[in-house]
Amino acid sequence: MIQFDRIKKTFTLTTEKTMYQMQIGPVGHLLHLYYGPVTEGCFDYLQLTRDCGFSPNPYDLQEGRGWSLDTQAQEYSTPGVGDFRLSTLESESADGIQGADLRYVSHQIRPGKYQLAGMPAAFAGEGEAETLSVLLADAATGMQVELLYGVFSQRNVITRAARILNRGASALRLNKAASVCLDLPFGDWQMIHFHGRHTMERQPERVTLMNGIQTISSARGASSHQHNPFVILCQPDTTDRFGQCCGMMLVYSGNHRTDVEMDQAGAVRAVMGISDTNFSWTLEPGEVFEMPEVLLTFTQEGLDDLSHLYHRFIQHNVCRSRYALERRPVLLNSWEAAYMDFDAEKLLRIARSAKELGVELFVIDDGWFGNRDDDFRGLGDWFVNEKKLPGGLKVLLDSIHALGLKTGLWLEPEMVSEDSDLYRSHPDWALTVPGRKPTMGRSQLVLDLSREDVIQWLYETIAGLLRENPIDYVKWDMNRHLTDLYSHTLPACRQGEVTHRYVLGLYDLLERLTREFPDVLFEGCSGGGGRFDAGMLAYHPQIWCSDNTDPIARLTIQEGTSYGYPVPAMGSHVSASPNHQTGRSTPLGTRGVVAMSGTFGYELDPGLLSQEEKDEIRRQIDRYHDWQDLIREGDYYRIQSVDKARPYGAWEFVSPDRDEVLLNVVLADVSSNPRPLHLHLKGLDPQGRYRIESAGFYGCNARLPHVPDRIFTGGELMYGGYTLPILLGNYPSVQICWKSVTG
Ligand code: GLA
């Protein structure tokens, strides 16, 4: 619900459990009052009105020197008018005026959810959301800013975005345009963010805020392996189970930046949006610049609850694919099975043996096109390599279909190799700086997706492939970051627009393709999980979580990802042992336990497996079928993160009606005479009665420690906990499923 109080000039946005309040200040600034649990009240008494020294006052509010933008919580901060903290916007008018003094002009409350032109944004079903837009203006430059708020009452999510309109008579230059400023004026706050590197993405790190500014950002042209565009601010005593926390997630796939400042008064400000590194934008009179959306959540029920809010929201209100809420096929991907060393016969042999094991979709990864025998060449030449696949792609895909399998194909549309027909005929289509040798990444260059002709060519090429061939699935990869940020068609004053225009071009392409081919299942990828963000999830219901398929490394990668992103969005496969990335050997069963907590599949050559392993894979796939609705629709709970004192990972799925539970435990280390491994389950009905339906132990000979038909109450399992038997071996694991019993 959105309410405007004409007397107090407050806007109150309420969801079932949260409330967000703002006020039009004494001279028209839009002030932030409150974001927290839903309650009655007007929080304008929290505004600081004492002279803080060296905090300047607006001209009309000089009396007493108590009112300063430097100490007021605000919705959209600008520089140059008395607020010396982080600003959301940096701009310059044609006559050199920097900054803006944004004052309230008007507002509108309307049913439904606003949308953004050319960028993904959350969508709402009938009656599911309301929109507030508040228009602010700067008299000196003619700049207007429209702040947008989407209120999803039942989902407890508030979305924010902003538009800048040039209502002046000459051009405006934006040097920074962030989407959101969120002020938390009181309280002790910590930040959880998700950093990493290739093959070790989204490692959670929780830090106490320092006085000053801390930054999470990517200037790589993609959201990146290194810093995810998602942060959580929480109280020091917040845990997965309890406590206040507030999430900020950017729906954007390119350069991003989140600055969190603790100011002189101990107040916290978080500013999130497109990064200002290498960014500028020229806004001609009458033009509008839109900034990507931020998904805000608040809960006092701990980090598990915050994760559930994002999981449901992304699946129901961000991801547009019909597959978001559907079962996904168990796939086998050819990459770690064959790399680029294959021909049609080999692929068909792998596909045939995959089918015998119960696999449903066979994906031909990199190496099927152009002269792509290694990763030095071929990108951009999206026609079949007839030497490897004689007769063409369709013949091979038809044969795979004839085996009763769906077909999938790998593409890396955004790239071009120097050694390719595409580059030879269009060298200017790559991002390169005139007079400078380009920087290479995996021996490839990045196509200039800011260009309409490049987007049109990509659209025709990919749509052509999808029209002419029976393709059920596409893996959309991106294997290097952007350098040499120069577009050969943009004028000098607009070169700072390249990285954002690139992302807009990418979204345009994805929009057109996913609209025309709604039945194709798209999986995103960028050297694994280098572009795992809510923007890509709008188009790709699943994203390859990491190039690291080692189940022990995956424990932290998948757990880190789970804070913000739904489990069915995480591509996760069983691969060969020893693992190709880490050299570690792990039991097949343990690899299965980890991979099942995601969009399940395989990444190995079944022809190299023993009969015993093949039988285990058949059973694994059966188990996955039994549990995939629970994994997809259920609530995911983190139970234990791997650490030195407790070297095991444990997590759980609980069905929406709480009558089925799947507990997963993987040991990353063992010791002799270990301490009891005792876990407290979560999310059950305390009065419910649960019986173990099945228990699988992998990589060890353990058995259940009690008679199998012991019935537990939910309260026993949650509050008393459950002790596992001693697990010894190399990376042993357990999967226990409880079902509720009636009577
Ligand atoms: C990236 C992907 C891999 C694989 C290779 C192919 O690294 O993450 O899964 O597709 O490219 O070159």
Side-chain angles (χ1 to χ4, degrees):
M1 190 170 40
I2 301 174
Q3 287 166 304
F4 178 61
D5 183 323
R6 278 172 203 286
I7 315 270
K8 293 188 170 143
K9 297 196 177 155
T10 51
F11 296 100
T12 305
L13 282 43
T14 37
T15 69
E16 278 180 1
K17 292 187 176 173
T18 67
M19 188 169 122
Y20 190 104
Q21 202 171 56
M22 305 169 257
Q23 185 173 48
I24 304 166
V27 287
H29 301 100
L30 190 61
L31 307 176
H32 177 80
L33 299 183
Y34 174 81
Y35 188 28
V38 67
T39 182
E40 289 289 311
C42 176
F43 291 90
D44 56 356
Y45 67 92
L46 294 175
Q47 289 169 27
L48 209 60
T49 49
R50 59 162 207 240
D51 182 358
C52 288
F54 290 86
S55 288
N57 322 107
Y59 191 83
D60 301 335
L61 298 173
Q62 299 176 55
E63 208 178 317
R65 298 182 189 153
W67 204 98
S68 172
L69 285 175
D70 205 25
T71 56
Q72 292 295 331
Q74 292 172 71
E75 286 297 305
Y76 205 74
S77 60
T78 53
V81 287
D83 187 350
F84 294 105
R85 298 170 292 171
L86 286 169
S87 69
T88 325
L89 189 67
E90 277 165 29
S91 57
E92 195 177 332
S93 69
D95 39 10
I97 300 173
Q98 297 191 17
D101 190 6
L102 294 172
R103 310 278 179 118
Y104 171 85
V105 176
S106 62
H107 74 268
Q108 233 188 38
I109 297 170
R110 52 181 188 270
K113 166 71 183 14
Y114 65 85
Q115 287 299 309
L116 301 171
M119 264 184 299
F123 56 87
E126 188 71 25
E128 205 188 359
E130 277 178 283
T131 292
L132 165 69
S133 84
V134 185
L135 191 67
L136 309 171
D138 174 52
T141 57
M143 178 200 291
Q144 292 191 337
V145 175
E146 186 185 6
L147 299 182
L148 295 160
Y149 299 82
V151 181
F152 290 76
S153 183
Q154 283 175 9
R155 300 231 176 265
N156 290 303
V157 172
I158 293 177
T159 66
R160 283 191 58 181
R163 296 187 175 120
I164 301 177
L165 304 85
N166 183 359
R167 294 272 183 254
S170 47
L172 274 174
R173 190 177 168 89
L174 307 175
N175 295 318
K176 173 178 181 175
S179 305
V180 159
C181 163
L182 181 70
D183 277 343
L184 303 168
F186 301 103
D188 275 347
W189 293 96
Q190 298 187 332
M191 175 170 69
I192 305 174
H193 68 108
F194 304 89
H195 69 102
R197 54 191 189 275
H198 179 223
T199 70
M200 280 311 278
E201 298 88 338
R202 289 171 298 288
Q203 305 292 303
E205 184 175 49
R206 184 166 176 163
V207 294
T208 297
L209 296 183
M210 61 173 196
N211 287 290
I213 298 170
Q214 32 261 292
T215 301
I216 304 301
S217 71
S218 164
R220 294 167 174 271
S223 46
S224 88
H225 308 81
Q226 286 74 10
H227 291 281
N228 197 261
F230 170 48
V231 299
I232 301 170
L233 295 162
C234 62
Q235 305 275 323
D237 58 358
T238 299
T239 64
D240 276 337
R241 287 167 195 262
F242 311 106
Q244 298 207 342
C245 46
C246 170
M248 298 176 78
M249 179 181 284
L250 189 65
V251 186
Y252 191 64
S253 311
N255 289 349
H256 61 88
R257 179 174 182 131
T258 304
D259 290 308
V260 181
E261 175 172 12
M262 186 154 73
D263 72 9
Q264 55 179 343
V268 170
R269 167 170 292 176
V271 170
M272 179 178 250
I274 296 177
S275 169
D276 52 345
T277 304
N278 300 317
F279 172 85
S280 65
W281 196 275
T282 302
L283 209 54
E284 295 295 340
E287 282 185 352
V288 177
F289 182 79
E290 295 200 321
M291 284 156 272
E293 178 161 276
V294 172
L295 312 178
L296 294 177
T297 55
F298 177 89
T299 174
Q300 31 180 11
E301 291 163 42
L303 298 164
D304 275 339
D305 190 51
L306 182 124
S307 299
H308 296 163
L309 295 174
Y310 279 115
H311 292 180
R312 292 188 203 114
F313 196 71
I314 289 174
Q315 284 186 276
H316 291 269
N317 299 91
V318 174
C319 183
R320 304 157 180 198
S321 165
R322 54 166 269 221
Y323 293 103
L325 300 172
E326 283 183 22
R327 286 184 163 215
R328 320 283 168 78
V330 174
L331 66 82
L332 188 138
N333 179 298
S334 70
W335 182 240
E336 287 192 29
Y339 294 102
M340 295 186 208
D341 178 20
F342 59 72
D343 55 19
E345 211 177 296
K346 184 169 177 181
L347 289 180
L348 276 172
R349 179 189 56 74
I350 298 173
R352 210 171 289 119
S353 49
K355 171 69 187 168
E356 281 165 16
L357 300 181
V359 165
E360 297 158 307
L361 160 67
F362 180 68
V363 181
I364 304 170
D365 208 278
D366 197 354
W368 61 268
F369 53 90
N371 60 353
R372 186 80 169 165
D373 293 324
D374 54 41
D375 62 11
F376 287 87
R377 62 205 86 249
L379 291 173
D381 294 343
W382 300 112
F383 47 83
V384 76
N385 179 331
E386 291 260 1
K387 271 194 242 138
K388 282 178 166 177
L389 309 178
L393 196 55
K394 186 164 183 310
V395 172
L396 175 63
L397 297 176
D398 281 340
S399 319
I400 295 170
H401 268 167
L403 295 172
L405 286 164
K406 289 181 187 299
T407 55
L409 201 65
W410 179 93
L411 294 171
E412 197 181 352
E414 299 158 65
M415 301 291 153
V416 64
S417 304
E418 262 189 315
D419 181 2
S420 67
D421 292 350
L422 181 67
Y423 186 71
R424 281 182 283 273
S425 46
H426 295 286
D428 62 317
W429 280 15
L431 290 173
T432 53
V433 170
R436 186 189 295 165
K437 292 270 184 233
T439 305
M440 305 303 286
R442 209 192 187 196
S443 310
Q444 63 200 47
L445 296 165
V446 184
L447 284 177
D448 180 359
L449 266 61
S450 74
R451 285 174 66 147
E452 268 171 36
D453 51 354
V454 172
I455 296 296
Q456 186 57 24
W457 180 84
L458 280 169
Y459 167 71
E460 277 160 18
T461 305
I462 299 167
L465 268 173
L466 294 176
R467 281 185 208 127
E468 285 153 26
N469 295 285
I471 297 169
D472 305 302
Y473 159 109
V474 165
K475 178 174 171 189
W476 186 294
D477 212 339
M478 190 239 191
N479 280 319
R480 66 155 291 180
H481 289 142
L482 276 58
T483 59
D484 304 276
L485 303 174
Y486 185 91
S487 171
H488 295 268
T489 50
L490 285 175
C493 69
R494 289 193 179 270
Q495 291 297 335
E497 301 179 9
V498 169
T499 48
H500 181 54
R501 285 185 185 274
Y502 180 98
V503 179
L504 293 178
L506 173 65
Y507 287 151
D508 177 29
L509 181 59
L510 287 170
E511 180 72 38
R512 290 159 73 178
L513 289 170
T514 51
R515 243 175 227 267
E516 184 173 339
F517 302 98
D519 295 331
V520 173
L521 170 60
F522 283 84
E523 175 152 353
C525 179
S526 174
R531 206 164 49 183
F532 208 117
D533 58 67
M536 291 318 276
L537 285 170
Y539 304 101
H540 298 156
Q542 58 197 60
I543 296 178
W544 182 222
C545 198
S546 177
D547 272 346
N548 190 341
T549 53
D550 176 321
I552 304 305
R554 278 269 181 155
L555 290 176
T556 47
I557 298 170
Q558 294 183 190
E559 186 186 290
T561 308
S562 81
Y563 280 85
Y565 303 103
V567 169
M570 298 181 210
S572 189
H573 301 166
V574 172
S575 61
S577 182
N579 180 270
H580 292 193
Q581 292 80 41
T582 62
R584 180 167 20 213
S585 298
T586 52
L588 179 56
T590 296
R591 282 175 269 153
V593 169
V594 174
M596 263 179 224
S597 290
T599 296
F600 187 53
Y602 291 83
E603 184 107 6
L604 45 70
D605 181 350
L608 304 176
L609 300 176
S610 67
Q611 192 53 46
E612 205 184 323
E613 288 172 314
K614 287 183 186 166
D615 293 343
E616 170 55 16
I617 287 187
R618 274 193 205 97
R619 288 194 295 269
Q620 239 168 34
I621 293 178
D622 285 347
R623 285 197 291 276
Y624 181 67
H625 284 313
D626 285 348
W627 290 327
Q628 74 156 298
D629 289 342
L630 169 62
I631 292 169
R632 214 165 30 82
E633 295 164 2
D635 284 335
Y636 162 94
Y637 290 91
R638 291 174 289 272
I639 306 270
Q640 175 63 47
S641 317
V642 178
D643 62 29
K644 272 214 175 103
R646 292 188 183 78
Y648 54 91
W651 65 100
E652 180 204 63
F653 297 95
V654 181
S655 63
D657 48 13
R658 300 195 289 177
D659 65 355
E660 193 176 6
V661 191
L662 178 64
L663 172 71
N664 306 271
V665 185
V666 173
L667 269 67
D669 198 9
V670 290
S671 68
S672 71
N673 190 15
R675 290 179 172 179
L677 211 163
H678 187 77
L679 301 166
H680 292 265
L681 272 67
K682 293 177 179 174
L684 310 187
D685 173 5
Q687 269 86 50
R689 291 150 52 78
Y690 297 87
R691 175 188 283 147
I692 290 180
E693 170 87 2
S694 67
F697 291 87
Y698 307 103
C700 60
N701 292 319
R703 293 277 171 273
L704 287 180
H706 48 73
V707 276
D709 56 357
R710 163 75 155 92
I711 290 173
F712 298 89
T713 66
E716 284 175 326
L717 292 170
M718 291 193 295
Y719 313 139
Y722 183 78
T723 308
L724 288 168
I726 291 177
L727 303 172
L728 297 176
N730 265 331
Y731 307 105
S733 62
V734 192
Q735 254 175 339
I736 303 180
C737 177
W738 280 269
K739 280 199 175 163
S740 75
V741 283
T742 42

